Amino acid sequence: MFKRILVAVDGSPHSRAALEVARGLGEALGAELWVVHAYAPTSDLLGYTDFAQRVSRRKSQGQKLLEELRGSLGESPLPVTEELIEGPGAEAILKVAETRAVDLIVMGTRGLGALGDMVLGSVSRKVTQGAGCPVMLARAPEAS
Ligand code: ATP
Ligand code: MG
């Protein structure tokens, strides 16, 4: 069970907790791991004369996050693939889940958003509602 695990990361403490859970599960189960980050959609940049530069800045910030998280995994026998994709986040995660035929999605309860009262963020809510496989939500106890 659970041979292809997707973990969604936005850089938040909760998503780092999700990565730890996904890594532990992946190692225990001999699974493959997809670490997915969606950068913000670029349609708001249309019309800027330096559109291409702005897009590539957005992408490279996402790439940096994936590299940093990859480094944080250290030595691991787990096969890890990073996937950087244009958002919106929930749509991007669901799309990768489908195209890679993953059998588990792990993500944080909340992310970088600041609406402290909500139990779930909009990305975790949409993915939980739309996924065709089980979704596991992780929470960093020290974060709100
Ligand atoms: P909101 O975005 O609705 O203001 P929030 O930021 O607190 O709320 P979410 O965005 O739903 O909460 O984040 C929940 C989890 O979804 C994160 O911990 C992370 O696992 C995943 N996630 C959110 N945004 C992205 C993204 N851009 N790329 C990949 N994963 C993401
Ligand atoms: Mg968010």
Side-chain angles (χ1 to χ4, degrees), residues 51-63:
F51 175 80
Q53 258 173 307
R54 285 174 187 260
V55 171
S56 79
R57 213 175 301 145
R58 217 168 258 192
K59 279 189 193 169
S60 65
Q61 277 169 359
Q63 191 58 46

Side-chain angles (χ1 to χ4, degrees), residues 64-89:
K64 247 198 202 150
L65 173 67
L66 287 177
E67 277 161 25
E68 188 235 308
L69 293 175
R70 174 62 173 251
S72 78
L73 286 177
E75 286 291 306
S76 168
L78 194 63
V80 179
T81 308
E82 286 120 43
E83 199 136 342
L84 180 65
I85 180 169
E86 182 167 345

Side-chain angles (χ1 to χ4, degrees), residues 30-42:
E32 291 172 74
L33 190 65
W34 271 266
V35 183
V36 177
H37 175 67
Y39 56 90
T42 56

Side-chain angles (χ1 to χ4, degrees), residues 13-126:
H14 295 307
S15 78
R16 286 168 196 268
L19 181 62
E20 277 308 303
V21 169
R23 176 243 193 87
L25 264 180
E27 287 179 359
L29 298 174
E32 291 172 74
L33 190 65
W34 271 266
V35 183
V36 177
H37 175 67
Y39 56 90
T42 56
S43 51
D44 61 316
L45 303 177
L46 286 169
Y48 281 99
T49 48
D50 57 348
F51 175 80
Q53 258 173 307
R54 285 174 187 260
V55 171
S56 79
R57 213 175 301 145
R58 217 168 258 192
K59 279 189 193 169
S60 65
Q61 277 169 359
Q63 191 58 46
K64 247 198 202 150
L65 173 67
L66 287 177
E67 277 161 25
E68 188 235 308
L69 293 175
R70 174 62 173 251
S72 78
L73 286 177
E75 286 291 306
S76 168
L78 194 63
V80 179
T81 308
E82 286 120 43
E83 199 136 342
L84 180 65
I85 180 169
E86 182 167 345
E91 287 79 348
I93 293 162
L94 289 170
K95 189 171 170 192
V96 176
E98 198 184 324
T99 54
R100 302 296 182 190
V102 305
D103 46 26
L104 177 69
I105 297 171
V106 187
M107 59 197 303
T109 49
R110 298 288 319 272
L112 294 170
L115 296 174
D117 285 351
M118 310 285 280
V119 178
L120 288 187
S122 60
V123 177
S124 33
R125 187 174 48 74
K126 284 183 198 163

